[in-house]
Amino acid sequence: EDYSVYVEDIDLKFNEIHDEGAQYLAQLIEKSERLLGLNLEGNSIEVNGAQYLAEALKNCELLQYVNLNGNKIQTDGAMNIT
C-alpha cells in the first residue's frame, strides 16, 4: 500500500534541503492527494527545486498553505509557485 496518499502536512523547516531533495519531495507530493500544508522554511531550495515543487503542487486541490521563506528561490522560483 502506498501510504503517501494519507499525508496531510509536511513540515521540514530548517533541514538543509537542496534542489535534489526538493525533487524527491515533489515525487511524494504528487501522490499526496490530501496534502493541506507544506512548510519548507529555512532550507536551501533554489529555482530548480521550486520548479519541481510547483509542478507537484498543481494537483493538490486541498492545499491551504505553503511556506518557503528563507530559501534561495528568488523571483523566478517564486513565479513558478504562484
Side-chain angles (χ1 to χ4, degrees):
E1 185 171 1
D2 186 0
Y3 293 102
S4 61
V5 297
Y6 301 110
V7 174
E8 292 183 356
D9 190 61
I10 299 173
D11 188 342
L12 294 171
K13 60 183 176 249
F14 303 105
N15 271 283
E16 292 298 320
I17 297 171
H18 296 267
D19 286 350
E20 183 178 1
Q23 183 177 15
Y24 288 114
L25 186 57
Q27 293 172 7
L28 170 73
I29 291 169
E30 287 175 349
K31 300 174 187 175
S32 302
E33 299 169 1
R34 299 180 182 185
L35 187 66
L36 300 174
L38 177 63
N39 186 357
L40 296 174
E41 178 182 4
N43 284 288
S44 298
I45 299 169
E46 297 184 28
V47 174
N48 289 336
Q51 186 171 359
Y52 298 132
L53 294 171
E55 286 297 317
L57 290 169
K58 285 181 181 178
N59 297 322
C60 295
E61 296 177 7
L62 302 176
L63 190 68
Q64 297 176 6
Y65 73 91
V66 175
N67 183 356
L68 294 171
N69 289 329
N71 283 279
K72 303 173 183 176
I73 61 174
Q74 302 174 350
T75 302
D76 290 339
M79 294 303 290
N80 288 326
I81 299 292
T82 58

